[in-house]
Amino acid sequence: MNSYKLLTPGPLTTTRTVKEEMLFDRCTWDDEYKSITQKIRSQLLDLAGAEASQYTAVLMQGSGTFAVESVMTSAISDKDKVLIVSNGAYGERIIQMAEYIGLHYAAYRTGYDEHPKEEELRSILNEDQCITHIAMVHCETTTGILNPLDMISGLSREYGKTLIIDAMSSFGGIEIDVAGLGIDYLISSANKCIQGVPGFGFVIASIERLAACQGIARSLSLDLYDQWRGMDKDGKWRYTSPTHVVAAFSKALDELMEEGGVSARFERYRNNNRLLRERMARIGIRAYIAEPVQSPIITTFVFPSDRFSFEQFYAYIKDRGYVIYPGKLTEVDTFRIGNIGEIYEQDIERLCEIIEEYMGVMAQ
Ligand SMILES: *Cc1c(COP(=O)(O)O)cnc(C)c1O
């Protein structure tokens, strides 16, 4: 199999040095191993701008969805009601979780290319006094739209709600002041902007909120409260921890710091994204999300013509060393290009040359 770079929203292309951390098999109850977990937890709090007296970081086995579900099942009791804001497939997934768990919930939906509207959210919050929690996705990876954290966190504070943010594809790549915004639960995973490999997710949680969640979870393995209680003692995970992934993640966090932290990574991603959008526009391929609400993470592009074959396009690009992503919209034919991971300007330039070449061949 020929190797390629991933232009997908995760798993993504990681450094050789991150992958090399996985060449050694570690023991789960060994003190040195447990101290890696503790180091990671404290670095995550730093990235979130959160103090250890107010916030804690809990790691959870599985992909990112498992971590989101662990919050939904552990933090929202049968007496609570959650308002779920959705403008994409990941918002819909949270609604699906609410259905599975049997939570009281209200769904607020907008078009996939639109922001949620403050006035409409206000009227829901004014009318429905039962709402205790609000959940929203930050960067909706479905389209690449970046949802307004300031607005939702302002509303959440004003109305005194518990705020849950799925920041899976943004945390580590976009600065998020978790404490300043008053986010109570922020969820992300190992294989997105921190550039680790897949295998666990994590939750940055307000200690005050999480401490009140004992006995709420309807799932044993996804009980965030219990996971926290166990891990907080000495860094020991409940059940088998993904040792290789943890070691790689620790290295990835160090490399994020070496790059210059979240602000430097944000600049690299933003530059990649700007270049991508500009070059694609010149080629004549239109982005689905308008510039002002576009994230620096992933971009959705509309098929340039009715004759366009994604399969052919994908194979052509893959043969030349890059892998892109299919679209996730029903009404419009689209494809997606991620620009996170070990991806630099040269990669975007090269990709756009390949795409230009393809369009030229197709036009003949
Ligand atoms: C990647 C992602 C998830 C989690 O997906 P998994 O496939 O379970 O890792 C959740 N929400 C968003 C916004 C994502 O980008």
Side-chain angles (χ1 to χ4, degrees), residues 39-296:
K39 166 194 164 279
I40 287 174
R41 295 179 62 217
S42 123
Q43 280 176 312
L44 287 174
L45 288 188
D46 290 344
L47 287 188
E51 295 287 339
S53 57
Q54 282 185 351
Y55 281 87
T56 186
V58 187
L59 317 183
M60 181 62 76
Q61 293 95 331
S63 82
T65 303
F66 292 60
V68 176
E69 194 161 359
S70 81
V71 172
M72 297 304 286
T73 193
S74 308
I76 304 167
S77 79
D78 293 337
K79 295 191 208 74
D80 297 325
K81 181 171 182 179
V82 58
L83 171 61
I84 304 169
V85 177
S86 171
N87 58 353
Y90 292 100
E92 291 304 307
R93 190 175 293 176
I94 298 178
I95 293 171
Q96 206 180 359
M97 286 173 194
E99 285 283 346
Y100 263 74
I101 302 166
L103 298 176
H104 300 293
Y105 75 93
Y108 166 76
R109 294 180 166 99
T110 61
Y112 278 20
D113 57 350
E114 287 171 48
H115 268 178
K117 295 181 186 53
E118 182 168 354
E119 283 318 306
E120 291 175 4
L121 287 168
R122 264 183 202 285
S123 74
I124 294 171
L125 291 168
N126 287 334
E127 270 165 39
D128 191 344
Q129 305 291 329
C130 298
I131 292 168
T132 51
H133 293 62
I134 301 174
M136 188 184 79
V137 174
H138 183 209
C139 171
E140 242 306 350
T141 322
T142 313
T143 56
I145 194 169
L146 191 66
N147 280 326
L149 267 191
D150 283 341
M151 183 270 277
I152 204 79
S153 85
L155 279 183
S156 176
R157 267 178 304 182
E158 186 182 327
Y159 285 83
K161 310 301 179 196
T162 297
L163 183 59
I164 300 168
I165 298 293
D166 171 350
M168 205 71 64
S169 60
S170 56
F171 188 75
I174 299 177
E175 218 126 19
I176 303 175
D177 180 3
V178 175
L181 290 166
I183 298 170
D184 297 291
Y185 298 93
L186 175 135
I187 307 134
S188 187
S189 74
N191 62 278
K192 297 224 167 153
C193 296
I194 296 175
Q195 300 188 182
V197 303
F200 71 87
F202 55 86
V203 181
I204 315 264
S206 147
I207 293 176
E208 192 187 336
R209 298 286 193 214
L210 186 57
C213 294
Q214 186 170 16
I216 296 178
R218 295 82 168 171
S219 157
L220 171 68
S221 52
L222 296 178
D223 188 336
L224 188 71
Y225 177 90
D226 266 10
Q227 184 88 343
W228 169 51
R229 279 302 183 206
M231 191 171 276
D232 211 41
K233 275 184 225 137
D234 63 350
K236 174 85 170 64
W237 296 53
R238 283 186 320 161
Y239 322 134
T240 298
S241 68
T243 49
H244 301 77
V245 182
V246 169
F249 188 71
S250 169
K251 181 70 178 164
L253 276 168
D254 294 344
E255 292 183 359
L256 171 57
M257 292 309 147
E258 284 157 25
E259 184 173 344
V262 178
S263 58
R265 185 154 293 178
F266 172 77
E267 283 306 325
R268 175 162 65 86
Y269 288 172
R270 189 170 64 170
N271 188 45
N272 284 348
N273 189 264
R274 195 186 291 141
L275 187 63
L276 176 67
R277 285 179 64 110
E278 277 171 18
R279 293 281 313 248
M280 291 293 271
R282 258 188 276 149
I283 296 170
I285 301 180
R286 187 173 66 82
Y288 174 73
I289 295 294
E291 181 99 50
V293 293
Q294 166 69 44
S295 70

